[in-house]
Every structure is written in structure tokens, then in C-alpha cells.
Amino acid sequence: MNRIFKKGPDFYCDLLIIGTGGAGLRCATEVLEKRPETSVMALTKVSHPQKSHTSTAQGGLAVVDPRDPVDKNIFHMFDTWKGSDCTADQNIIKKIIESSWEQILWLENRGMHFSRDIEGKLSKRTFGGHTLNFGESLAYRAVFEADRTGKGIMDTTWGEALKRGIRFLTQSIATELLFTGNQCVGSVVFKQKEGEFIRILSKATIIATGGCGQVFKVTTNCRQNTGDGLALALQAGLPVMDPEAVQFHPTGIVGPGILASEALRSEGGVLRNKDLKPFMERYAPKMKDLAPRDLVSRAIETEIRQGRGVLNPDHGIYHVWIDLRHLSEYVLDMKLGEISHFFNKFVNINPKEELCPVCPSNHYHMGGIPTTEFGEVQNGSQDTVPGLFAIGECAAASFHGFNRLAANSILELITMGKFAGERVLEYLKEAPAETSKAEGEHTLSLFSGYLEAQGRDSLGRIREAMQTMMTGKAGVFRTEAGLLEAVEGLKELKDRAAKTALSTRGLIMNQELVRRWELDNLLTVSMVIACAALNRRESRGAHYREDFPERKNEYNYHTLTTMEESGRIEFGKRPVDMSILEAGGGHAQKFGMIKREY
């Protein structure tokens, strides 16, 4: 380390988890339950693990009760495949869904309070794109804990990990992965409170840093979701898969962009345009308001583009309405109490009496660090990287393809957390010692640059310009001209950021320094999203090109994107797994390249 940086002592552990959301903690618990002597460290850049983004998930987990008389796992698999626009990997779909009920029991046996009906059975909701008998009717498939299901998962996994001896390192960021040969042996970490850099050397390392929603101007994501894990992988020369697959939730609350869960429409909420007319039947005649999110988001944007939106005078944003006024007080107070409270608290609207303003808000990244079905990270040649795993939203196994169905994300994080934990246990049996001669040369160069810059500009304005550009050019609708403009604009913003001086140059609790690092991560992730969207000249799931509105068979693959230098993109391909189709059997034909109509 350069003399201007304070270097702390090295730490050693068996397992390092970068990120403390539901996926990371489910993995930690799996390891500690089966191998209690394992030393596990988990770091988070926020002040407490409970502030992880998983806590904000509202609606539920999609799962089929084996005793259900009408629903079956094969229907859930079909819905996930169709919802993904035929780009999810079928081996992942099968593995996750067949394990889903076991994970519900795991959570409940450890204290999660799932909501129950008057007969004492688990209550269930229907969500967009979930059907019975291959699309014939709506499926009530999602179990939930009121409208705070993610908080229930966090309470459970955090408590289990804590009582088994996990060690948390808060307000700390991983700035560089460490390797010995091709084996990952830990990470360089910046501890904000101490203002010092340390090395954490570990036999196994898991990236579980969550999403990158702060790339966009309006998002349901927490402030800390700045694509740190994706940037960490790209910096190490590893690919990001399907970065162009970005989901916009149809019903963000106008103003703060906070999620107004699909549970609102599941319980009977209706979308209306400025003339107060329901409009979804024109876009999805069968599923209507409960069509998949990509279709509903495009329908809302189309209503607005064609003059049937409403201008919000406070925020200057066009929106449509969601009408909840006809729902019972029991539904609004007991089943949707937290979401109803959000409308009251953040936009001063009483949903029992008034229409609620909503518009599409960035919500989820289907793309991520490519992994196997066990969370093992793959390089550009699709070989696994020894000692390195990725799970949660920053990873792509891929369960969601190009459009995630509601209630499938927290299902993925608890199942993939378990699978990765099982593989980590196998890996630790023969893992070599965690040693490395690397001292964090990349980190030194990066942070030296931040502190030595002398230019006068505003990091906040650069970030805002990036978010505005990505929302306008790489949002719900995309075109070649807009994406080219975004790529060139991002290069200019990168240059501006590199020259911008910090007003405070100390290292201890310097939030401007952390924001500078986050801005680099956001610009990096924005560039791979824009370039991959430019490269895929078709429309598929949430990636919609107005100039290429149809899905094309020549793009039936996953995009692998590497970027060792900003703007120098290389593309590769990973085939889409079609193993359910290839296995044959009675329903195999449902898993071909089917039409996507709702």
C-alpha cells in the first residue's frame, strides 16, 4: 500500500461473503448448520445487515404445496420459462422449483411467520404470469408474510447466522478480488469507520452484493444498490451475463419510486388511465392487470405516450392510476397495510378514498455474474473459477432469463443460497490454504486517483446525468440511436468523473470517497448494459428495441460481456439450457421456443 493509505492487519477465514442480504445469509446458515467450526465473515457497506435490500421485498414467494389439489411444479416451471421469454436455463428452473417447498419449511421451522387463512393453512396470492394448466387460469401460488415477506426472510436468516457464530464487518466495501493463479483467495476491503484497507484471505469467497438499480433515475432499489459486485467481477476480467435484461416494475409510486407491490393488483387493484378507464385488456386480453411485468410496464408507457397519462404537478412526471378504493378495509389495513401506509406517508394519499399515482420504476436486474446451478462463478470460457461463488441479484444462473416473474426473486435467493452453501462445504474439504502475495495494486491505483484529482465538477451532477441518460436511452423502450447516444455520453461522464476533485480527502468515514467509488461502479455497469442492449438487435422480455420489435431465433443465447477497460467491450455467448425439452416426456413441447401471449 502507498504510504498515504493506512493498511490494517490481514484477516483469515474459511468463507468470506461480500453482502449480507437473504442469499448471503441463507448460504452462511447452510454452511454453519452442517459445519459449525467454519469461520465465516460477512461484510456489508451499510451500518447493519438488516438494512440489506432483501428487507424491502413485499409480495411473496412462488411455491407449489405438494398437497395442492390443482397446482403442480410443472405449471410453475412452464410459467417461469414462458415469462423469461424462453431465455431462462431449464436446468436451473427445474432445480429451484423442485426445491422450493423444502425451503418454505426450512424458513417456517426457524420462526418465519407466514400468513395463514382462517383454516390455518398458508395463505396464497396470485401474481402476474402465474397460471394453472399451462396458462388456462390464474394460479394462487405465492405464500407471504403480510406485505413484508423479505423482512421475514431477513429476520430468520440473520438470526440463524448470528447464533451460529458468523462475524459481520459493517460499513466496509470490497474493492478488489485477490487471486493466486486462477483461484480466488479473498478480497481487499476498505473499512470506512477506521479509514484503513485490509486483506481478507479466505478459502472460498461469495459475491452477494444485490442489484444495480441506482443506474436509473427512478428505482425501487435501496440507495446502496450500485452494482458493486458486477463492477468487482468486471475489474477481475470476469464476464457479466445478459446485462441488457433490466426489469422495470409497472407500479412504482410517483415521486419516491418506491415499490407498490404487485400484491395490490393481486388483491383486486385496477390500473386506470387519465379517463379513468381500465386499459390492460387491450394489451393482455386474458391476464389483464396480472400480465407479466414487462408487458404491463410497456402498456403503461404506451398509454402515456399516446396522451392518456396524467401529469403530476409536483414531480413533472406522467403516470397512470391504480384504483384501490373498492378494496375492503380488511384487505387494505391487514393484508396491504405497509403499502397503504407508503401512499399515506410519501405522497399524502389515502388509498381508501383516492386514486394512487404509479408509473414504471426500475426494479430488478435479470443479468449478473454467470454461475453454474451451484453458484460457482464462470469465466468467459465458461470454466468455473475455483473458490469464487455468486448468488442473489448480482448473479445469473439463470432462473429468470429476460423477464422475472413476480415472487420468483426471493425464491431464487433462498434456494441458490442453499445450493451454493452445499457446494462451498464440498469445496472446503480440499481447498488449498488462503495465501496471496497481492497487496491490492488495483485498489491503490484507484483510490490514489480519487484523492489526487484536481478538477472542479460535481459528482452529484455527473451521477444525475448518468441516471437521466440511462432512463431515457436504455429504459423501457430502446433504439439504436438512443443507445449509441448513451454509450458516447457515458464515456464523457467517465472522463469528467476522473478529473473531479473530492472536497474532503480524509479516509475515515468519508462518504464522498465512497460515493466516488460507487459512481465508478455505476458508470461501469451502465456501459455494459448500454453496449449489450445495442448488440442485441431484437426484442426479448424486458429488453425492448422499438427498431427491432420481434424476438429472433438468431439471438437464442445468453450474452457474455467482458470489459477490462472502460468502453472496450468483448461479447461471448452461453447457450440457453433446454434440458426439459430435450428430456422429452408428456409436457416437453411446452418448453420449446413458444409464443408469449397472455
Side-chain angles (χ1 to χ4, degrees), residues 10 49 178 237 245 315 361 411 445 451 491 517 548 560-561 590:
D10 291 342
L178 295 172
H315 301 283
S361 178
L411 170 63
S445 172
L451 297 174
K491 291 177 182 175
W517 173 76
F548 300 99
L560 292 176
T561 308
K590 302 288 186 182

Side-chain angles (χ1 to χ4, degrees), residues 14 35 183-185 202-204 386-387 389 422-434:
D14 295 321
R35 189 174 183 267
Q183 177 198 358
C184 183
V185 293
S202 57
K203 292 186 175 71
F389 300 79
E422 292 172 337
R423 187 48 59 99
V424 165
L425 287 167
E426 289 296 315
Y427 182 78
L428 290 177
K429 291 178 182 176
E430 300 180 357
E434 60 279 27

Side-chain angles (χ1 to χ4, degrees), residues 469-470 473-474 480-494 523 526-535 566-569:
M469 182 181 301
M470 290 299 290
K473 310 300 180 186
E480 184 116 353
L483 291 165
L484 283 169
E485 192 177 331
V487 169
E488 292 306 310
L490 289 168
K491 291 177 182 175
E492 293 177 13
L493 293 173
K494 181 80 175 176
L523 288 166
S526 296
M527 183 62 82
V528 294
I529 290 173
C531 288
L534 189 60
N535 184 59
S566 181
R568 289 185 54 189
I569 301 278

Side-chain angles (χ1 to χ4, degrees), residues 19-148:
T20 59
L25 295 185
R26 177 65 186 91
C27 178
T29 305
E30 183 69 19
V31 171
L32 290 167
E33 280 186 353
K34 304 285 173 52
R35 189 174 183 267
E37 70 274 20
T38 309
S39 59
V40 180
M41 293 185 69
L43 63 92
T44 173
K45 69 178 177 182
V46 295
S47 58
H48 194 284
Q50 286 277 23
K51 290 187 176 293
S52 298
H53 187 58
T54 301
S55 296
T56 67
Q58 299 168 351
L61 299 94
V63 61
V64 177
D65 183 340
R67 297 163 296 184
D68 193 302
V70 293
D71 203 0
K72 297 179 180 177
N73 276 340
I74 192 70
F75 301 154
H76 188 185
M77 293 180 197
F78 168 78
D79 293 336
T80 301
W81 170 248
K82 183 179 177 182
S84 78
D85 213 346
C86 305
T87 320
D89 282 356
Q90 294 181 0
N91 60 329
I92 306 298
I93 292 176
K94 188 171 188 294
K95 187 174 179 66
I96 287 178
I97 290 176
E98 288 185 342
S99 176
S100 57
W101 184 248
E102 174 194 340
Q103 294 310 299
I104 298 304
L105 297 180
W106 187 92
L107 287 165
E108 187 161 64
N109 288 338
R110 285 156 182 78
M112 185 166 168
H113 300 290
F114 285 105
S115 298
R116 290 182 175 272
D117 60 24
I118 56 175
E119 296 178 353
K121 299 176 181 176
L122 290 179
S123 296
K124 295 177 184 176
R125 286 178 174 139
T126 184
F127 278 93
H130 288 279
T131 68
L132 297 174
N133 203 19
F134 307 109
E136 280 192 1
S137 58
L138 294 174
Y140 284 77
R141 182 176 291 155
V143 297
F144 54 89
E145 183 179 296
D147 52 0
R148 48 183 181 277

Side-chain angles (χ1 to χ4, degrees), residues 123-199:
S123 296
K124 295 177 184 176
R125 286 178 174 139
T126 184
F127 278 93
H130 288 279
T131 68
L132 297 174
N133 203 19
F134 307 109
E136 280 192 1
S137 58
L138 294 174
Y140 284 77
R141 182 176 291 155
V143 297
F144 54 89
E145 183 179 296
D147 52 0
R148 48 183 181 277
T149 309
K151 184 66 168 63
I153 289 175
M154 280 303 299
D155 288 345
T156 305
T157 55
W158 174 69
E160 290 296 313
L162 197 63
K163 74 182 183 186
R164 287 177 169 77
I166 192 173
R167 181 176 178 184
F168 289 112
L169 209 57
T170 61
Q171 292 181 293
S172 300
I173 57 177
T175 58
E176 180 179 356
L177 294 172
L178 295 172
F179 292 88
T180 295
N182 67 341
Q183 177 198 358
C184 183
V185 293
S187 174
V188 176
V189 172
F190 177 57
K191 297 169 69 181
Q192 299 178 50
K193 285 181 283 189
E194 293 79 6
E196 67 180 17
F197 292 86
I198 62 171
R199 297 192 312 166

